[in-house]
Amino acid sequence: MLSARSLFQEILDDDRSFRLFCSIAASGEAQGGWENGRIAALVPESMRHLAPKITRHGADEDKHGRIFTALLKKRGLEPVPVPWETDYTMLLERRGIGLTHTKLRRDEPLGEEDILVYLAHSRITEQRAADQMVMLVRYFGENPEVGNAVKIISQDEDNHLAYCHEELLRLAREGHGPLIQRTLRLCALAEIQIYRQVSLAVMERMGRLLGWPAPKAAALAAGIHGVYGYERLAGWRRMVSLTMPERRDALGGPATPVPAL
């Protein structure tokens, strides 16, 4: 029976697919770490109170990249280059979502609106990451090879999502509500398209590595299109809602080190 659990188990069991999966994940997390580090360095003076939290966010992303690299090393594997069509972060930037790398490479302070865009973009992408990690913890939280890693990352993603909700709600109370909602909607509608594009590309690559028959590949592609259809119709609304989290000041301390996996 084709299911998310059986699909990820198949990817986990094969060195080639596991190598690609961890390489894509490690690259994306490392890229997120760099972006947050640059944003923290360029925060405008009026919002310097956010710099430690943005720094913590970036440190967590760097940690996740090291975790995925460590999982590869445990199997004696090296990362592989990430195919461009599976580079979620780069494709979002090309769609004009978030802050461009060109802007982040300049040594010029960002504006307050830039920070709002960063938080809105993060609220969308962290929702995706948090949901994916909840699924992996449900299926593989007790797996001796990856269970500890997915639990650690899932907890961090929950913290990141809580932080985005709290800070965006604070900015909305300061009068930025309409701009926040417009930005969230723009980000969400672009993200679900990019997520479908990347999901199809990743599954196509995995199918080639694992020798999936055409009917299985077609069923997976249909499932991805189905998820997109639901998100395009209604699911995106969940991604733009803002609710004060139970976990307040979620990024108020230093990042935890990478534990032994």
Coordinates of all heavy atoms in Angstrom, one line a residue, residues 156-240:
D156 N 12.6 22.5 17.2 CA 13.2 23.8 16.8 C 12.2 24.5 15.8 O 11.9 25.7 15.9 CB 14.5 23.7 16.1 CG 15.6 23.4 17.1 OD1 15.4 23.6 18.3 OD2 16.7 22.9 16.6
E157 N 11.6 23.7 14.8 CA 10.7 24.3 13.9 C 9.5 24.8 14.6 O 8.9 25.9 14.2 CB 10.3 23.3 12.8 CG 11.5 22.7 12.0 CD 12.2 23.7 11.2 OE1 12.0 24.9 11.3 OE2 13.1 23.3 10.4
D158 N 9.0 24.1 15.6 CA 7.9 24.6 16.4 C 8.2 26.0 17.0 O 7.4 26.9 17.1 CB 7.4 23.6 17.4 CG 6.7 22.4 16.9 OD1 6.3 22.5 15.7 OD2 6.6 21.4 17.6
N159 N 9.4 26.1 17.5 CA 9.9 27.4 18.1 C 9.9 28.5 17.1 O 9.5 29.6 17.4 CB 11.3 27.2 18.7 CG 11.3 26.4 20.1 OD1 10.2 26.4 20.8 ND2 12.4 25.9 20.4
H160 N 10.4 28.2 15.9 CA 10.5 29.2 14.9 C 9.2 29.7 14.5 O 8.9 30.9 14.3 CB 11.2 28.6 13.6 CG 12.6 28.1 13.9 ND1 13.3 27.3 13.0 CD2 13.5 28.3 15.0 CE1 14.5 27.1 13.5 NE2 14.6 27.7 14.7
L161 N 8.2 28.7 14.3 CA 6.9 29.1 14.0 C 6.2 30.0 15.0 O 5.6 31.0 14.7 CB 6.0 27.9 13.7 CG 4.7 28.1 13.1 CD1 4.7 28.8 11.8 CD2 4.0 26.7 12.9
A162 N 6.4 29.6 16.3 CA 5.8 30.4 17.4 C 6.4 31.8 17.4 O 5.7 32.8 17.6 CB 6.1 29.7 18.7
Y163 N 7.7 31.9 17.2 CA 8.4 33.2 17.1 C 7.8 34.1 16.0 O 7.5 35.3 16.2 CB 9.9 33.0 16.9 CG 10.7 34.0 16.1 CD1 11.0 35.2 16.7 CD2 11.1 33.7 14.8 CE1 11.7 36.1 15.9 CE2 11.9 34.6 14.1 CZ 12.2 35.8 14.7 OH 12.9 36.7 13.9
C164 N 7.6 33.5 14.8 CA 7.0 34.3 13.7 C 5.6 34.8 14.1 O 5.3 36.0 13.8 CB 7.0 33.5 12.4 SG 8.6 33.1 11.8
H165 N 4.8 33.9 14.6 CA 3.4 34.3 15.0 C 3.5 35.5 16.0 O 2.8 36.5 15.8 CB 2.7 33.2 15.7 CG 2.0 32.2 14.7 ND1 0.7 32.4 14.3 CD2 2.5 31.2 14.0 CE1 0.4 31.4 13.4 NE2 1.5 30.7 13.3
E166 N 4.3 35.3 17.0 CA 4.3 36.4 18.1 C 4.8 37.7 17.6 O 4.2 38.7 17.9 CB 5.2 35.9 19.2 CG 5.2 36.8 20.4 CD 6.0 36.2 21.6 OE1 6.6 35.1 21.5 OE2 6.1 36.9 22.7
E167 N 5.9 37.7 16.8 CA 6.4 39.0 16.3 C 5.5 39.6 15.3 O 5.4 40.9 15.3 CB 7.8 38.7 15.7 CG 8.9 38.3 16.7 CD 9.0 39.2 17.9 OE1 8.8 40.5 17.7 OE2 9.4 38.8 19.0
L168 N 4.9 38.8 14.4 CA 4.0 39.4 13.4 C 2.8 40.0 14.1 O 2.3 41.1 13.7 CB 3.6 38.4 12.4 CG 4.6 38.1 11.3 CD1 4.2 36.8 10.5 CD2 4.9 39.2 10.4
L169 N 2.3 39.4 15.1 CA 1.1 39.9 15.9 C 1.5 41.2 16.6 O 0.7 42.2 16.6 CB 0.6 38.9 16.9 CG -0.2 37.7 16.3 CD1 -0.5 36.6 17.3 CD2 -1.6 38.3 15.8
R170 N 2.7 41.3 17.1 CA 3.2 42.5 17.7 C 3.2 43.6 16.7 O 2.8 44.8 17.0 CB 4.6 42.3 18.4 CG 5.1 43.5 19.1 CD 6.5 43.2 19.6 NE 7.4 42.9 18.6 CZ 8.0 43.7 17.7 NH1 7.7 45.0 17.8 NH2 8.9 43.3 16.8
L171 N 3.8 43.3 15.5 CA 3.8 44.3 14.5 C 2.5 44.7 14.0 O 2.2 45.9 13.6 CB 4.7 43.8 13.3 CG 6.2 43.7 13.6 CD1 6.9 42.9 12.5 CD2 6.8 45.1 13.6
A172 N 1.5 43.8 13.9 CA 0.2 44.1 13.5 C -0.5 45.1 14.5 O -1.2 46.0 14.1 CB -0.7 42.8 13.4
R173 N -0.2 44.9 15.8 CA -0.7 45.8 16.8 C -0.2 47.2 16.7 O -0.8 48.2 17.1 CB -0.5 45.3 18.2 CG -1.3 44.1 18.6 CD -1.2 43.8 20.1 NE 0.1 43.5 20.6 CZ 0.7 42.3 20.6 NH1 0.1 41.3 20.2 NH2 2.0 42.2 21.0
E174 N 1.0 47.3 16.1 CA 1.7 48.6 15.9 C 1.2 49.3 14.6 O 1.7 50.3 14.2 CB 3.2 48.4 15.8 CG 3.8 48.0 17.2 CD 5.3 47.7 17.1 OE1 5.8 47.9 16.0 OE2 5.9 47.3 18.1
G175 N 0.2 48.7 13.9 CA -0.4 49.3 12.7 C 0.0 48.7 11.4 O -0.4 49.2 10.3
H176 N 0.7 47.6 11.4 CA 1.2 47.0 10.1 C 0.3 45.9 9.7 O 0.7 45.2 8.7 CB 2.6 46.5 10.3 CG 3.6 47.6 10.7 ND1 4.1 48.5 9.8 CD2 4.3 47.8 11.8 CE1 4.9 49.3 10.4 NE2 5.1 48.9 11.6
G177 N -0.9 45.7 10.3 CA -1.7 44.6 9.9 C -2.0 44.4 8.5 O -1.9 43.3 7.9
P178 N -2.5 45.4 7.8 CA -2.9 45.3 6.4 C -1.7 44.8 5.5 O -1.8 43.9 4.6 CB -3.4 46.6 6.0 CG -3.9 47.2 7.2 CD -2.9 46.7 8.3
L179 N -0.5 45.4 5.7 CA 0.7 45.0 4.9 C 1.1 43.6 5.3 O 1.5 42.8 4.4 CB 1.8 46.0 5.2 CG 3.1 45.7 4.5 CD1 3.0 45.6 3.0 CD2 4.2 46.7 4.9
I180 N 1.0 43.2 6.5 CA 1.3 41.8 6.9 C 0.4 40.8 6.2 O 0.9 39.8 5.7 CB 1.2 41.7 8.4 CG1 2.4 42.4 9.1 CG2 1.2 40.2 8.9 CD1 2.3 42.5 10.6
Q181 N -0.9 41.1 6.2 CA -1.8 40.2 5.6 C -1.6 40.1 4.1 O -1.6 39.0 3.5 CB -3.3 40.6 5.9 CG -3.7 40.2 7.3 CD -3.6 38.7 7.6 OE1 -4.0 37.9 6.7 NE2 -3.0 38.4 8.7
R182 N -1.3 41.2 3.4 CA -1.1 41.2 2.0 C 0.2 40.4 1.7 O 0.3 39.6 0.8 CB -0.9 42.6 1.4 CG -2.2 43.4 1.3 CD -2.0 44.6 0.4 NE -1.0 45.5 0.9 CZ -1.2 46.5 1.7 NH1 -2.4 46.7 2.3 NH2 -0.2 47.3 2.1
T183 N 1.2 40.6 2.5 CA 2.5 39.9 2.3 C 2.4 38.4 2.6 O 2.9 37.6 1.8 CB 3.6 40.5 3.2 OG1 3.7 41.9 3.0 CG2 4.9 39.9 2.9
L184 N 1.6 38.0 3.6 CA 1.4 36.6 3.9 C 0.7 35.9 2.8 O 1.1 34.8 2.4 CB 0.6 36.5 5.2 CG 1.4 36.7 6.5 CD1 0.4 36.8 7.7 CD2 2.4 35.6 6.8
R185 N -0.3 36.6 2.3 CA -1.1 35.9 1.2 C -0.2 35.8 -0.1 O -0.3 34.7 -0.7 CB -2.3 36.8 0.8 CG -3.3 36.1 -0.2 CD -4.5 37.0 -0.4 NE -5.5 36.3 -1.2 CZ -5.4 36.2 -2.6 NH1 -4.5 36.8 -3.2 NH2 -6.4 35.6 -3.2
L186 N 0.5 36.8 -0.4 CA 1.4 36.7 -1.6 C 2.4 35.6 -1.4 O 2.6 34.7 -2.3 CB 2.2 38.0 -1.7 CG 3.2 38.1 -2.9 CD1 2.5 38.0 -4.2 CD2 4.0 39.4 -2.8
C187 N 3.0 35.5 -0.2 CA 4.0 34.4 0.1 C 3.4 33.0 0.0 O 4.0 32.1 -0.5 CB 4.7 34.7 1.4 SG 5.8 36.0 1.6
A188 N 2.2 32.9 0.6 CA 1.6 31.6 0.7 C 1.2 31.1 -0.7 O 1.5 29.9 -1.0 CB 0.3 31.7 1.6
L189 N 0.6 31.9 -1.5 CA 0.2 31.5 -2.9 C 1.4 31.1 -3.7 O 1.4 30.2 -4.5 CB -0.6 32.5 -3.5 CG -2.0 32.8 -2.9 CD1 -2.7 33.9 -3.5 CD2 -2.8 31.5 -2.9
A190 N 2.5 31.8 -3.6 CA 3.8 31.5 -4.3 C 4.4 30.2 -3.7 O 4.8 29.4 -4.5 CB 4.7 32.7 -4.2
E191 N 4.4 30.1 -2.4 CA 5.0 29.0 -1.8 C 4.4 27.6 -2.1 O 5.1 26.6 -2.4 CB 5.0 29.1 -0.2 CG 5.9 28.1 0.5 CD 5.3 26.8 0.8 OE1 4.0 26.6 0.6 OE2 6.0 25.8 1.1
I192 N 3.0 27.6 -2.2 CA 2.4 26.3 -2.5 C 2.7 25.9 -4.0 O 2.8 24.7 -4.3 CB 0.9 26.4 -2.3 CG1 0.2 27.4 -3.1 CG2 0.6 26.6 -0.8 CD1 -1.4 27.4 -3.0
Q193 N 2.9 26.9 -4.8 CA 3.3 26.5 -6.2 C 4.7 26.0 -6.3 O 5.0 25.0 -6.9 CB 3.2 27.8 -7.1 CG 1.7 28.2 -7.3 CD 1.7 29.5 -8.2 OE1 2.6 30.1 -8.4 NE2 0.5 29.8 -8.6
I194 N 5.6 26.7 -5.5 CA 7.0 26.2 -5.5 C 7.1 24.9 -4.8 O 7.9 24.0 -5.2 CB 7.9 27.3 -4.8 CG1 7.9 28.6 -5.6 CG2 9.3 26.7 -4.6 CD1 8.5 28.5 -7.0
Y195 N 6.4 24.7 -3.7 CA 6.4 23.4 -3.0 C 6.0 22.3 -4.0 O 6.5 21.2 -4.0 CB 5.5 23.5 -1.8 CG 5.5 22.2 -1.0 CD1 6.7 21.8 -0.3 CD2 4.4 21.4 -0.9 CE1 6.7 20.6 0.5 CE2 4.4 20.2 -0.2 CZ 5.6 19.8 0.5 OH 5.6 18.7 1.2
R196 N 4.9 22.5 -4.8 CA 4.5 21.5 -5.7 C 5.6 21.2 -6.7 O 5.9 20.0 -7.0 CB 3.2 21.9 -6.5 CG 2.8 20.9 -7.6 CD 1.6 21.4 -8.3 NE 1.8 22.7 -9.0 CZ 1.0 23.2 -9.9 NH1 -0.1 22.5 -10.2 NH2 1.3 24.3 -10.5
Q197 N 6.2 22.3 -7.2 CA 7.3 22.1 -8.2 C 8.5 21.3 -7.7 O 9.0 20.4 -8.3 CB 7.8 23.5 -8.7 CG 8.9 23.5 -9.7 CD 9.3 24.9 -10.0 OE1 8.6 25.9 -9.8 NE2 10.5 25.1 -10.6
V198 N 8.9 21.6 -6.5 CA 10.0 21.0 -5.8 C 9.6 19.5 -5.5 O 10.4 18.6 -5.7 CB 10.5 21.7 -4.6 CG1 11.5 20.9 -3.8 CG2 11.1 23.1 -5.0
S199 N 8.4 19.3 -5.0 CA 8.0 18.0 -4.6 C 8.0 17.0 -5.8 O 8.5 15.9 -5.8 CB 6.6 18.0 -4.0 OG 6.6 18.7 -2.8
L200 N 7.5 17.5 -7.0 CA 7.5 16.8 -8.2 C 8.9 16.4 -8.6 O 9.2 15.3 -9.0 CB 6.8 17.5 -9.3 CG 5.3 17.6 -9.1 CD1 4.7 18.6 -10.2 CD2 4.6 16.2 -9.3
A201 N 9.8 17.4 -8.5 CA 11.2 17.2 -8.9 C 11.9 16.2 -8.0 O 12.7 15.3 -8.5 CB 12.0 18.6 -8.9
V202 N 11.7 16.3 -6.7 CA 12.3 15.4 -5.8 C 11.8 14.0 -6.0 O 12.6 13.0 -6.1 CB 12.1 15.8 -4.3 CG1 12.5 14.7 -3.4 CG2 12.8 17.1 -4.0
M203 N 10.5 13.8 -6.2 CA 9.9 12.5 -6.4 C 10.4 11.9 -7.7 O 10.6 10.7 -7.8 CB 8.4 12.5 -6.3 CG 7.8 12.8 -4.9 SD 8.3 11.5 -3.7 CE 9.6 12.4 -2.8
E204 N 10.6 12.7 -8.7 CA 11.1 12.2 -10.0 C 12.5 11.7 -9.8 O 12.8 10.6 -10.4 CB 11.0 13.3 -11.1 CG 11.2 12.9 -12.5 CD 12.7 12.8 -12.9 OE1 13.5 13.5 -12.3 OE2 13.0 12.0 -13.8
R205 N 13.3 12.4 -9.1 CA 14.7 12.0 -8.8 C 14.7 10.7 -8.0 O 15.4 9.8 -8.3 CB 15.4 13.1 -8.1 CG 15.7 14.3 -8.9 CD 17.1 14.3 -9.5 NE 17.3 15.4 -10.4 CZ 18.5 15.7 -10.9 NH1 19.5 14.9 -10.7 NH2 18.7 16.7 -11.7
M206 N 13.9 10.7 -7.0 CA 13.8 9.5 -6.1 C 13.3 8.3 -6.9 O 13.8 7.1 -6.8 CB 12.9 9.7 -4.9 CG 13.4 10.8 -3.9 SD 14.9 10.3 -3.2 CE 15.2 11.7 -2.1
G207 N 12.3 8.5 -7.8 CA 11.8 7.4 -8.6 C 12.9 6.8 -9.5 O 12.9 5.6 -9.7
R208 N 13.7 7.6 -10.1 CA 14.8 7.1 -10.9 C 15.8 6.3 -10.1 O 16.3 5.3 -10.5 CB 15.5 8.3 -11.6 CG 14.8 8.7 -12.9 CD 15.7 9.6 -13.7 NE 15.5 11.0 -13.3 CZ 16.5 11.9 -13.4 NH1 17.6 11.6 -14.0 NH2 16.3 13.1 -13.1
L209 N 16.1 6.8 -8.9 CA 17.1 6.1 -8.1 C 16.5 4.8 -7.6 O 17.3 3.8 -7.5 CB 17.5 7.0 -6.8 CG 18.3 8.2 -7.1 CD1 18.4 9.1 -5.8 CD2 19.7 7.9 -7.6
L210 N 15.3 4.8 -7.3 CA 14.7 3.6 -6.6 C 14.0 2.7 -7.6 O 13.4 1.6 -7.3 CB 13.7 4.0 -5.6 CG 14.3 4.7 -4.4 CD1 13.3 5.4 -3.5 CD2 15.2 3.8 -3.6
G211 N 13.9 3.1 -8.9 CA 13.3 2.2 -9.9 C 11.8 2.1 -9.8 O 11.3 1.0 -10.0
W212 N 11.1 3.1 -9.5 CA 9.7 3.1 -9.3 C 9.0 2.8 -10.7 O 9.4 3.4 -11.7 CB 9.1 4.4 -8.7 CG 9.5 4.6 -7.3 CD1 9.9 3.6 -6.4 CD2 9.4 5.8 -6.6 NE1 10.1 4.2 -5.2 CE2 9.8 5.5 -5.3 CE3 9.1 7.1 -7.0 CZ2 9.9 6.5 -4.3 CZ3 9.2 8.1 -6.0 CH2 9.6 7.8 -4.7
P213 N 8.1 1.9 -10.7 CA 7.3 1.7 -11.9 C 6.5 2.9 -12.3 O 6.1 3.7 -11.4 CB 6.5 0.4 -11.6 CG 6.3 0.4 -10.1 CD 7.6 1.0 -9.6
A214 N 6.1 3.0 -13.5 CA 5.4 4.2 -14.0 C 4.1 4.4 -13.2 O 3.7 5.5 -12.9 CB 5.1 4.1 -15.5
P215 N 3.3 3.3 -12.9 CA 2.0 3.6 -12.2 C 2.3 4.2 -10.8 O 1.5 5.1 -10.3 CB 1.4 2.2 -12.1 CG 1.9 1.5 -13.3 CD 3.3 2.0 -13.4
K216 N 3.3 3.7 -10.1 CA 3.6 4.3 -8.8 C 4.0 5.7 -8.9 O 3.6 6.6 -8.1 CB 4.7 3.5 -8.1 CG 5.1 4.0 -6.8 CD 6.1 3.0 -6.1 CE 6.5 3.5 -4.7 NZ 7.4 2.5 -4.0
A217 N 4.9 6.1 -9.9 CA 5.3 7.4 -10.1 C 4.2 8.3 -10.4 O 4.0 9.5 -9.9 CB 6.4 7.5 -11.2
A218 N 3.2 7.8 -11.2 CA 2.1 8.6 -11.6 C 1.1 8.8 -10.4 O 0.6 9.9 -10.3 CB 1.3 7.9 -12.7
A219 N 1.0 7.8 -9.6 CA 0.2 8.0 -8.4 C 0.7 9.0 -7.4 O 0.0 9.8 -6.9 CB 0.0 6.6 -7.7
L220 N 2.1 9.0 -7.3 CA 2.7 10.0 -6.4 C 2.5 11.4 -7.0 O 2.2 12.4 -6.2 CB 4.2 9.7 -6.2 CG 4.4 8.5 -5.3 CD1 5.9 8.1 -5.4 CD2 4.1 8.8 -3.8
A221 N 2.7 11.5 -8.2 CA 2.6 12.9 -8.9 C 1.1 13.3 -8.7 O 0.9 14.5 -8.4 CB 2.9 12.8 -10.4
A222 N 0.2 12.4 -8.9 CA -1.2 12.8 -8.7 C -1.5 13.3 -7.3 O -2.3 14.2 -7.1 CB -2.1 11.6 -9.1
G223 N -0.9 12.6 -6.3 CA -1.1 13.0 -4.9 C -0.5 14.4 -4.7 O -1.1 15.2 -4.0
I224 N 0.6 14.7 -5.3 CA 1.2 16.0 -5.1 C 0.3 17.1 -5.7 O 0.1 18.1 -5.1 CB 2.6 16.0 -5.7 CG1 3.6 15.2 -4.9 CG2 3.2 17.5 -5.8 CD1 4.9 14.9 -5.6
H225 N -0.2 16.8 -6.9 CA -1.1 17.8 -7.5 C -2.4 17.9 -6.7 O -3.0 19.0 -6.6 CB -1.4 17.3 -8.9 CG -0.3 17.5 -9.9 ND1 0.1 18.8 -10.3 CD2 0.4 16.6 -10.7 CE1 1.1 18.6 -11.2 NE2 1.3 17.4 -11.4
G226 N -2.8 16.8 -6.1 CA -4.0 16.9 -5.3 C -3.8 17.8 -4.0 O -4.7 18.6 -3.7
V227 N -2.7 17.6 -3.4 CA -2.3 18.5 -2.3 C -2.3 20.0 -2.7 O -2.8 20.9 -2.0 CB -1.0 18.1 -1.6 CG1 -0.5 19.2 -0.6 CG2 -1.1 16.7 -1.0
Y228 N -1.7 20.2 -3.9 CA -1.6 21.6 -4.4 C -3.0 22.1 -4.6 O -3.4 23.3 -4.3 CB -0.8 21.6 -5.7 CG -1.0 23.0 -6.4 CD1 -0.3 24.1 -5.9 CD2 -1.8 23.1 -7.5 CE1 -0.5 25.3 -6.5 CE2 -2.0 24.3 -8.1 CZ -1.3 25.4 -7.6 OH -1.5 26.7 -8.2
G229 N -3.9 21.3 -5.2 CA -5.3 21.7 -5.5 C -6.0 22.1 -4.2 O -6.7 23.2 -4.2
Y230 N -5.8 21.3 -3.2 CA -6.5 21.7 -1.9 C -5.9 23.0 -1.3 O -6.6 23.9 -0.9 CB -6.3 20.6 -0.9 CG -6.6 21.0 0.5 CD1 -7.9 21.2 0.9 CD2 -5.6 21.2 1.4 CE1 -8.2 21.7 2.2 CE2 -5.8 21.7 2.7 CZ -7.1 21.9 3.1 OH -7.4 22.4 4.4
E231 N -4.6 23.1 -1.3 CA -3.9 24.3 -0.8 C -4.3 25.5 -1.6 O -4.5 26.6 -1.0 CB -2.4 24.1 -0.7 CG -2.0 23.0 0.3 CD -0.5 23.0 0.6 OE1 0.2 23.4 -0.4 OE2 -0.1 22.5 1.6
R232 N -4.4 25.4 -2.9 CA -4.7 26.6 -3.7 C -6.1 27.0 -3.5 O -6.4 28.2 -3.5 CB -4.5 26.2 -5.2 CG -4.7 27.4 -6.2 CD -3.7 28.4 -5.9 NE -3.9 29.6 -6.8 CZ -4.7 30.6 -6.6 NH1 -5.4 30.6 -5.5 NH2 -4.8 31.6 -7.4
L233 N -7.0 26.0 -3.2 CA -8.4 26.4 -3.0 C -8.7 26.9 -1.7 O -9.4 27.9 -1.5 CB -9.3 25.1 -3.3 CG -10.8 25.3 -3.1 CD1 -11.3 26.2 -4.2 CD2 -11.5 23.9 -3.2
A234 N -8.2 26.3 -0.6 CA -8.5 26.7 0.7 C -7.4 26.6 1.7 O -7.3 27.3 2.7 CB -9.7 25.9 1.2
G235 N -6.5 25.6 1.5 CA -5.5 25.3 2.5 C -4.5 26.5 2.8 O -4.0 26.6 3.9
W236 N -4.3 27.4 1.9 CA -3.4 28.5 2.1 C -3.9 29.4 3.2 O -3.1 30.1 3.8 CB -3.2 29.3 0.8 CG -4.5 30.0 0.3 CD1 -5.5 29.5 -0.5 CD2 -4.9 31.3 0.6 NE1 -6.5 30.4 -0.7 CE2 -6.2 31.5 0.0 CE3 -4.4 32.3 1.4 CZ2 -6.9 32.7 0.1 CZ3 -5.1 33.5 1.5 CH2 -6.3 33.7 0.9
R237 N -5.2 29.4 3.5 CA -5.7 30.3 4.5 C -5.1 30.0 5.9 O -4.9 30.8 6.7 CB -7.2 30.2 4.5 CG -7.9 30.7 3.2 CD -9.4 30.7 3.3 NE -9.9 31.0 1.9 CZ -10.1 32.2 1.5 NH1 -9.7 33.2 2.2 NH2 -10.6 32.4 0.2
R238 N -4.9 28.7 6.1 CA -4.3 28.3 7.4 C -2.9 28.8 7.5 O -2.4 29.2 8.6 CB -4.2 26.7 7.5 CG -3.5 26.2 8.7 CD -3.6 24.7 8.7 NE -2.7 24.1 9.7 CZ -1.5 23.6 9.4 NH1 -1.1 23.6 8.2 NH2 -0.7 23.1 10.4
M239 N -2.2 29.0 6.4 CA -0.8 29.4 6.4 C -0.7 30.9 6.6 O 0.4 31.4 6.9 CB -0.1 29.1 5.1 CG -0.1 27.6 4.8 SD 0.5 27.2 3.2 CE 2.3 27.3 3.5
V240 N -1.8 31.7 6.5 CA -1.7 33.1 6.7 C -2.4 33.6 8.0 O -2.3 34.8 8.3 CB -2.3 33.9 5.5 CG1 -1.7 33.5 4.2 CG2 -3.8 33.7 5.4

